[in-house]
Amino acid sequence: MKELLKKEPVTIISLILAVISAFFVHPDDQYISYIDFRTLSILFCLMLVMAGLRKENVFKYIGEKLLERTTTKRGLAGVLILLCFFFSMFITNDVALISFVPFSIEIIGMMDDLEGEKKSSFAIKLIVLETIAANLGSMLTPIGNPQNLYLYSLSGMSIGSFIGLMLPYSLSSLIILVICSIVMFPKGKGSSDETVAKPDDSSYGEAKKSFSKKIITGYLILFVLSLLVVVHVLPYWAVLIATILGVFVIDKNTLKDADYFLLLTFTFLFIFVGNIKRISPVKDALLSILYGREVITAIVSSQFISNVPAAILLSGMTDKIKLLVIGTNLGGLGTLIASMASLISFKFYGQIEGSKKGKYIVVFSLLNIVFLIILMAIHLLISCQA
């Protein structure tokens, strides 16, 4: 139990909260209505599709092809950061980091002209900015991260309205990321083997060798079906069945790669929030805190319980879902647990020989605070003009 708590703390805490709430609101036939099966189904389908495409090294291959054109360390860093930013919009922030952070670590290891402290500093800056890029890029689309998918489904917004809502923040984030890439990485030009893995390196070029066009086509079809559910064209239950059967035929082992703990976390939080809404004193207290402070409350609560639980909890207390979309997305910046995707990068960095976790956390925290302050200022500016 202790090991599970260490590995999946949010899931265990959400389970405890659900159990405690059940003592105040005993299980009854209303419990089933708490759970948003549509969101869970779409999330599960996307998890399976992205797991399958990642196993086929699709994202790594695209990264390799783009990096072949880089000639400077600044260019290398910029490409990797932008890969995380743009890919996270469609493959989710956690999949983007799982795909590109280990790839980045491999490439950094091949930089013979960087040693010791310089290599460590380069790795920290790059991985931190990749993490920020994934968290910020993912906020533009409903499928970019789990809380967006849930809040989008709850809000009834069109996909165009959702993108329009987050576009100013995404464009601002992109500009800031480009500036950071220019300022934080060296300008000096180096030979190709100093910046990018050489074609004859054993770890480079392997992605294309594992390609199976039939398999990739199958996963892409399933991805399109999932998108059609998101935009309310197809029923979720039909696509869920099609996806499970399709993945089973393509590669049944991929069924093991979905993040089932995240699905459990959602389920437990749905139960907890559903019960809280039926406990009048608690609901009234939360409403008094949240009213008129939706964005800042979402940002602050995300720092302590992460933005996915914050989205589910606060959505049960207000109908101002658009403000929660903004708040929970900006709330992904800040502490290491504000977005659970950030822990993925930290875990990968910690596996590097000679990693300096303390320095990583300091750099991570400082950069996240800077981005958060700037984006909060942009939100205030937009609010004043509305």
Side-chain angles (χ1 to χ4, degrees), residues 55-71:
K55 285 175 71 174
E56 289 298 305
N57 286 318
V58 171
F59 312 125
K60 183 177 180 181
Y61 171 71
I62 295 172
E64 287 179 354
K65 297 303 291 184
L66 290 172
L67 288 173
E68 284 177 1
R69 300 177 179 273
T70 62
T71 58

Side-chain angles (χ1 to χ4, degrees), residues 162-174:
F162 189 99
I163 292 174
L165 176 68
M166 297 309 301
L167 188 59
Y169 304 99
S170 293
L171 289 176
S172 302
S173 300
L174 179 59

Side-chain angles (χ1 to χ4, degrees), residues 17-265:
L17 291 173
V19 171
I20 292 174
S21 69
F23 282 102
F24 295 91
V25 181
H26 296 162
D28 56 22
D29 56 0
Q30 290 190 49
Y31 267 51
I32 195 69
S33 66
Y34 296 163
I35 301 172
D36 186 342
F37 290 104
R38 183 175 183 275
T39 297
L40 291 178
S41 297
I42 298 172
L43 187 59
F44 182 57
C45 291
L46 289 172
M47 284 179 180
L48 291 177
V49 170
M50 294 310 154
L53 290 173
R54 186 164 54 84
K55 285 175 71 174
E56 289 298 305
N57 286 318
V58 171
F59 312 125
K60 183 177 180 181
Y61 171 71
I62 295 172
E64 287 179 354
K65 297 303 291 184
L66 290 172
L67 288 173
E68 284 177 1
R69 300 177 179 273
T70 62
T71 58
T72 66
K73 293 182 180 66
R74 175 183 288 177
L76 168 74
V79 169
L80 289 168
I81 291 166
L82 292 179
L83 279 171
C84 289
F85 183 81
F86 287 108
F87 267 80
S88 66
M89 298 176 185
F90 307 101
I91 68 174
T92 74
N93 51 352
D94 56 345
V95 174
L97 293 173
I98 290 170
S99 300
F100 294 119
V101 171
F103 181 46
S104 302
I105 292 171
E106 286 182 22
I107 294 173
I108 293 170
M110 296 174 190
M111 293 181 178
D112 296 331
D113 62 325
L114 286 182
E115 294 182 357
E117 185 65 29
K118 288 185 177 180
K119 182 171 285 191
S120 175
S121 178
F122 189 94
I124 289 174
K125 290 186 293 184
L126 177 57
I127 295 171
V128 167
L129 282 178
E130 284 180 312
T131 304
I132 293 173
N135 285 331
L136 293 178
S138 66
M139 68 183 174
L140 181 63
T141 66
I143 63 171
N145 53 55
Q147 82 270 5
N148 275 5
L149 185 61
Y150 168 67
L151 292 173
Y152 170 75
S153 178
L154 192 65
S155 69
M157 282 189 288
S158 68
I159 193 165
S161 297
F162 189 99
I163 292 174
L165 176 68
M166 297 309 301
L167 188 59
Y169 304 99
S170 293
L171 289 176
S172 302
S173 300
L174 179 59
I175 293 169
I176 303 168
L177 283 166
V178 170
I179 293 171
C180 285
S181 299
I182 293 172
V183 172
M184 295 179 64
F185 295 97
K187 183 180 180 181
K189 189 170 183 177
S191 60
S192 60
D193 63 344
E194 291 174 338
T195 55
V196 184
K198 295 178 289 186
D200 59 349
D201 273 305
S202 59
S203 63
Y204 194 80
E206 288 296 319
K208 188 175 181 179
K209 294 178 183 178
S210 66
F211 268 18
S212 169
K213 292 182 180 179
K214 289 183 179 180
I215 290 177
I216 292 172
T217 300
Y219 283 125
L220 290 177
I221 291 172
L222 294 176
F223 178 62
V224 171
L225 292 177
S226 296
L227 292 182
L228 291 175
V229 177
V230 173
V231 296
H232 303 280
V233 173
L234 295 177
Y236 75 84
W237 56 267
V239 174
L240 175 62
I241 294 171
T243 300
I244 293 173
L245 292 176
V247 172
F248 185 85
V249 172
I250 295 170
D251 180 7
K252 62 182 179 181
N253 290 324
T254 302
L255 291 169
K256 299 184 296 184
D257 296 331
D259 188 349
Y260 292 100
F261 282 104
L262 179 59
L263 297 175
L264 285 173
T265 299

